[in-house]
Short mmCIF file of all heavy atoms in Angstrom, two decimals:
data_model
loop_
_atom_site.label_atom_id
_atom_site.label_comp_id
_atom_site.label_asym_id
_atom_site.label_seq_id
_atom_site.Cartn_x
_atom_site.Cartn_y
_atom_site.Cartn_z
N ASP Z 380 8.82 -11.81 8.48
CA ASP Z 380 8.91 -13.01 9.32
C ASP Z 380 8.68 -12.65 10.78
O ASP Z 380 7.96 -13.33 11.52
CB ASP Z 380 10.29 -13.65 9.19
CG ASP Z 380 10.56 -14.22 7.81
OD1 ASP Z 380 9.60 -14.43 7.05
OD2 ASP Z 380 11.74 -14.46 7.51
N GLU Z 381 9.34 -11.57 11.21
CA GLU Z 381 9.32 -11.18 12.62
C GLU Z 381 7.98 -10.60 13.05
O GLU Z 381 7.43 -10.95 14.10
CB GLU Z 381 10.42 -10.15 12.88
CG GLU Z 381 10.41 -9.55 14.26
CD GLU Z 381 11.33 -8.35 14.38
OE1 GLU Z 381 12.27 -8.22 13.56
OE2 GLU Z 381 11.12 -7.54 15.29
N LEU Z 382 7.43 -9.69 12.24
CA LEU Z 382 6.20 -8.98 12.62
C LEU Z 382 4.95 -9.81 12.34
O LEU Z 382 3.92 -9.61 12.99
CB LEU Z 382 6.12 -7.65 11.88
CG LEU Z 382 7.27 -6.67 12.14
CD1 LEU Z 382 7.08 -5.41 11.32
CD2 LEU Z 382 7.38 -6.33 13.62
N GLY Z 383 5.02 -10.70 11.36
CA GLY Z 383 3.87 -11.53 11.02
C GLY Z 383 3.06 -10.97 9.88
O GLY Z 383 2.07 -10.28 10.09
N LEU Z 384 3.50 -11.25 8.66
CA LEU Z 384 2.75 -10.86 7.46
C LEU Z 384 2.91 -11.96 6.42
O LEU Z 384 4.01 -12.50 6.24
CB LEU Z 384 3.25 -9.53 6.89
CG LEU Z 384 2.84 -8.28 7.64
CD1 LEU Z 384 3.73 -7.11 7.27
CD2 LEU Z 384 1.38 -7.93 7.35
N TYR Z 385 1.80 -12.29 5.75
CA TYR Z 385 1.86 -13.22 4.63
C TYR Z 385 2.32 -12.45 3.40
O TYR Z 385 1.74 -11.41 3.06
CB TYR Z 385 0.49 -13.85 4.37
CG TYR Z 385 -0.11 -14.55 5.57
CD1 TYR Z 385 -1.35 -14.17 6.08
CD2 TYR Z 385 0.56 -15.60 6.19
CE1 TYR Z 385 -1.92 -14.81 7.17
CE2 TYR Z 385 0.02 -16.24 7.30
CZ TYR Z 385 -1.22 -15.84 7.78
OH TYR Z 385 -1.76 -16.47 8.87
N LEU Z 386 3.35 -12.97 2.72
CA LEU Z 386 3.88 -12.29 1.55
C LEU Z 386 3.59 -13.05 0.28
O LEU Z 386 3.72 -14.28 0.23
CB LEU Z 386 5.40 -12.12 1.66
CG LEU Z 386 5.96 -11.18 2.73
CD1 LEU Z 386 7.47 -11.05 2.56
CD2 LEU Z 386 5.30 -9.81 2.67
N VAL Z 387 3.19 -12.31 -0.75
CA VAL Z 387 3.23 -12.82 -2.12
C VAL Z 387 4.52 -12.28 -2.71
O VAL Z 387 4.68 -11.07 -2.89
CB VAL Z 387 2.02 -12.34 -2.95
CG1 VAL Z 387 2.18 -12.76 -4.40
CG2 VAL Z 387 0.74 -12.90 -2.37
N ASP Z 388 5.47 -13.17 -2.94
CA ASP Z 388 6.78 -12.79 -3.47
C ASP Z 388 6.68 -12.82 -4.99
O ASP Z 388 6.39 -13.86 -5.57
CB ASP Z 388 7.83 -13.77 -2.96
CG ASP Z 388 9.23 -13.18 -2.95
OD1 ASP Z 388 9.39 -12.02 -3.37
OD2 ASP Z 388 10.16 -13.87 -2.51
N GLU Z 389 6.93 -11.68 -5.60
CA GLU Z 389 6.64 -11.54 -7.03
C GLU Z 389 7.92 -11.33 -7.83
O GLU Z 389 8.76 -10.49 -7.47
CB GLU Z 389 5.69 -10.35 -7.25
CG GLU Z 389 5.11 -10.25 -8.63
CD GLU Z 389 3.75 -9.57 -8.61
OE1 GLU Z 389 2.74 -10.27 -8.43
OE2 GLU Z 389 3.71 -8.34 -8.74
N ALA Z 390 8.04 -12.07 -8.92
CA ALA Z 390 9.20 -11.94 -9.78
C ALA Z 390 9.18 -10.60 -10.50
O ALA Z 390 8.13 -10.05 -10.82
CB ALA Z 390 9.23 -13.09 -10.79
N ASN Z 391 10.37 -10.10 -10.80
CA ASN Z 391 10.53 -8.80 -11.45
C ASN Z 391 10.29 -8.94 -12.95
O ASN Z 391 11.19 -8.84 -13.77
CB ASN Z 391 11.93 -8.26 -11.17
CG ASN Z 391 12.14 -6.88 -11.76
OD1 ASN Z 391 11.20 -6.13 -11.97
ND2 ASN Z 391 13.39 -6.55 -12.05
N ILE Z 392 9.01 -9.19 -13.27
CA ILE Z 392 8.62 -9.37 -14.67
C ILE Z 392 7.33 -8.60 -14.90
O ILE Z 392 6.28 -8.93 -14.33
CB ILE Z 392 8.39 -10.85 -15.02
CG1 ILE Z 392 9.68 -11.66 -14.81
CG2 ILE Z 392 7.89 -10.99 -16.47
CD1 ILE Z 392 9.48 -13.16 -14.95
#
Side-chain angles (χ1 to χ4, degrees):
D380 293 342
E381 174 192 338
L382 300 178
L384 284 162
Y385 304 122
L386 292 186
V387 174
D388 204 358
E389 191 152 271
N391 183 26
I392 300 172

